[in-house]
Amino acid sequence: MAFLKSWLHGRVDTAIRDSVDSKDVVEAVYRELFEDYATVLRFAWFGSVLFQVAEARRQGVRPGFIPGWRGVAPEMVKRVLREELRVTKKDGKDTVTAGIDDVVSRVTGRLGTFIPAVQRQMVGDSMNVSVADVEKVNQHREQYGHPLTGFVEDAQNTKTPLGRVFSENKDLRDEFERMKRDWRESVKASPDGMLRSDDDGLDDEDLEILGKQQRALYEAEIDLGMRESMPEGTNKDFAYRNVAWARVAVGSYTCGFCLMLCSRGAIYRSDTVLSAKNRARKGGTQFEGRWNLNAYHEHCDCMMVPVFSWRKFAGKEVMDGARKLWKQFSKDVKNKNGEWGNGALTASWFSEWLKAHPEQVAEMPTFDLGKGRPRK
């Protein structure tokens, strides 16, 4: 969702320039910016939910648990503003000591890191949830409704903060309408999904709780006009959860280390698919990636995708391509011991091998971030 960061940059720029002469700059910027920023994060949650729902259906299964948006803490936003505006008091009035462009860039950068954080939190919550937690969520939604229904209704109501922001920005409205169209198409393409093949040892009560959660999504889609009727099925049929995560290389270039990790396939947990946990635990350098703050290297743009079926998932063609390259590298290491790392199957030597074989790298599909499809 690069457009969200671009839009956020514009709103931060306007808020700071409008507030720079205020007596309390931090408070003034906060008041002008907070609703817009909350909209950005809530939109990021919505987009991440729809991606996971569409991906499950594309893989031929039911989407499973849909976690709600956790919200944004006002004090967190104020803390970022205090730290990055760096105001000083002069004659009882706040003064921004740095150049406005620099301040805008810093504030946008800090606030922007929470956009992928919200998306990661959503996909993590969807998998790392107990049946007891799902039951509590079901009880809440019976009283207050499904969060997807709430998002769409708020977006269309100009009396809500979300609706006001949408009404004032055509780019957000257009993106919202595009996402709804894609959502509707995913329902048409797979109206019922496939049935579970096992129950993970769940008892009848657990199956009823998880089945109720899945039906709540279908009910929300019916309320929003996305589908006409409730699919048929037992509680066991509806109680589906993703089984693992895969790391998918994005873009035309990926380093050898990341391709090596991608080639391993759907073997990761949500907390290990993108994050270098061991390095962080040992106090090593933490790098900021495109999607997380504890990446394997600076500016890493590899994605995490939920895997519901081992045979078909978003980016599988990319994973297969990476695996093919790694296998050929391994074969060359064995056949030409001494030329490629003295027989060492390491990421550094894999990177050197990739540079020496551009024709094979060119055959590997790349991942289309916009559509979740591979392309040549």
Side-chain angles (χ1 to χ4, degrees):
M1 288 199 171
F3 82 97
L4 282 180
K5 285 191 176 181
S6 176
W7 185 76
L8 176 62
H9 183 277
R11 291 299 303 124
V12 169
D13 185 89
T14 299
I16 290 177
R17 293 183 190 279
D18 288 350
S19 308
V20 71
D21 293 325
S22 302
K23 186 175 181 179
D24 188 337
V25 176
V26 171
E27 185 63 28
V29 174
Y30 166 79
R31 286 198 303 267
E32 184 164 345
L33 186 62
F34 183 76
E35 284 189 356
D36 292 332
Y37 183 53
T39 294
V40 166
L41 296 187
R42 195 176 175 193
F43 203 115
W45 166 85
F46 179 68
S48 191
V49 168
L50 292 195
F51 169 78
Q52 180 144 321
V53 168
E55 181 56 25
R57 286 171 176 157
R58 194 178 77 82
Q59 294 181 30
V61 299
R62 304 186 189 279
F65 178 69
I66 303 296
W69 179 54
R70 292 194 174 199
V72 55
E75 186 51 41
M76 181 275 293
V77 178
K78 290 183 178 180
R79 184 178 68 252
V80 169
L81 293 176
R82 283 194 298 268
E83 293 174 356
E84 300 302 339
L85 287 172
R86 302 177 188 176
V87 297
T88 59
K89 285 286 186 181
K90 187 176 182 179
D91 299 328
K93 180 181 176 183
D94 282 353
T95 300
V96 178
T97 56
I100 296 299
D101 290 342
D102 181 51
V103 171
V104 169
S105 179
R106 290 202 309 266
V107 171
T108 303
R110 282 282 301 279
L111 294 178
T113 61
F114 291 95
I115 296 175
V118 166
Q119 296 171 316
R120 290 196 312 277
Q121 188 70 62
M122 196 293 299
V123 292
D125 287 348
S126 70
M127 185 174 183
N128 304 321
V129 61
S130 68
V131 176
D133 289 335
V134 174
E135 174 62 358
K136 293 178 182 178
V137 170
N138 287 340
Q139 294 172 2
H140 183 273
R141 290 177 182 177
E142 287 175 358
Q143 182 175 358
Y144 298 102
H146 198 280
L148 282 175
T149 304
F151 181 92
V152 174
E153 290 177 346
D154 284 352
Q156 297 170 342
N157 182 0
T158 57
K159 294 182 179 180
T160 67
L162 186 68
R164 179 190 62 76
V165 174
F166 272 35
S167 69
E168 295 173 354
N169 190 276
K170 184 177 183 300
D171 290 340
L172 285 180
R173 291 199 308 275
D174 290 346
E175 184 66 15
F176 174 58
E177 293 301 324
R178 182 196 66 76
M179 293 167 75
K180 286 201 301 181
R181 288 194 298 271
D182 290 347
W183 185 4
R184 188 174 289 108
E185 289 303 313
S186 78
V187 172
K188 291 181 180 178
S190 181
D192 299 325
M194 286 175 58
L195 304 185
R196 260 177 91 81
S197 58
D198 61 75
D199 60 10
D200 289 340
L202 299 172
D203 59 26
D204 289 343
E205 183 178 357
D206 290 345
L207 289 172
E208 181 179 358
I209 290 171
L210 294 174
K212 185 187 297 184
Q213 171 65 35
Q214 181 62 73
R215 289 187 177 89
L217 170 61
Y218 291 148
E219 290 170 354
E221 291 178 331
I222 292 172
D223 291 342
L224 296 171
M226 299 294 174
R227 65 168 66 244
E228 295 181 357
S229 60
M230 175 72 69
E232 296 181 0
T234 65
N235 286 326
K236 182 176 180 179
D237 299 332
F238 285 115
Y240 203 97
R241 292 180 289 183
N242 51 327
V243 294
W245 298 89
R247 182 186 182 98
V248 176
V250 175
S252 58
Y253 171 78
T254 300
C255 71
F257 182 73
C258 285
L259 273 185
M260 177 187 70
L261 296 179
C262 293
S263 72
R264 296 175 177 175
I267 66 169
Y268 299 99
R269 304 192 309 269
S270 63
D271 60 343
T272 62
V273 60
L274 294 182
S275 297
K277 287 186 65 179
N278 289 335
R279 184 173 59 219
R281 186 166 56 244
K282 295 177 181 178
T285 302
Q286 290 186 259
F287 298 109
E288 181 177 339
R290 182 173 182 180
W291 308 104
N292 67 323
L293 298 177
N294 186 23
Y296 282 91
H297 62 83
E298 198 73 19
H299 307 304
C300 178
D301 63 356
C302 291
M303 287 186 64
M304 60 189 290
V305 297
V307 176
F308 301 87
S309 168
W310 302 109
R311 294 184 296 274
K312 183 174 67 173
F313 54 87
K316 186 176 185 300
E317 294 86 350
V318 178
M319 182 211 73
D320 290 339
R323 180 169 293 175
K324 181 180 178 181
L325 292 173
W326 178 261
K327 285 183 176 180
Q328 186 59 52
F329 162 66
S330 302
K331 181 179 179 181
D332 286 356
V333 165
K334 294 176 181 178
N335 292 342
K336 300 179 180 179
N337 189 16
E339 181 178 351
W340 294 112
N342 293 320
L345 294 174
T346 64
S348 59
W349 279 107
F350 186 37
S351 295
E352 294 299 318
W353 183 90
L354 292 171
K355 294 175 184 177
H357 297 80
E359 72 287 349
Q360 296 192 43
V361 176
E363 295 178 359
M364 179 178 164
T366 56
F367 193 67
D368 187 332
L369 190 57
K371 297 182 179 180
R373 299 288 189 274
R375 63 179 188 275
K376 281 288 189 181

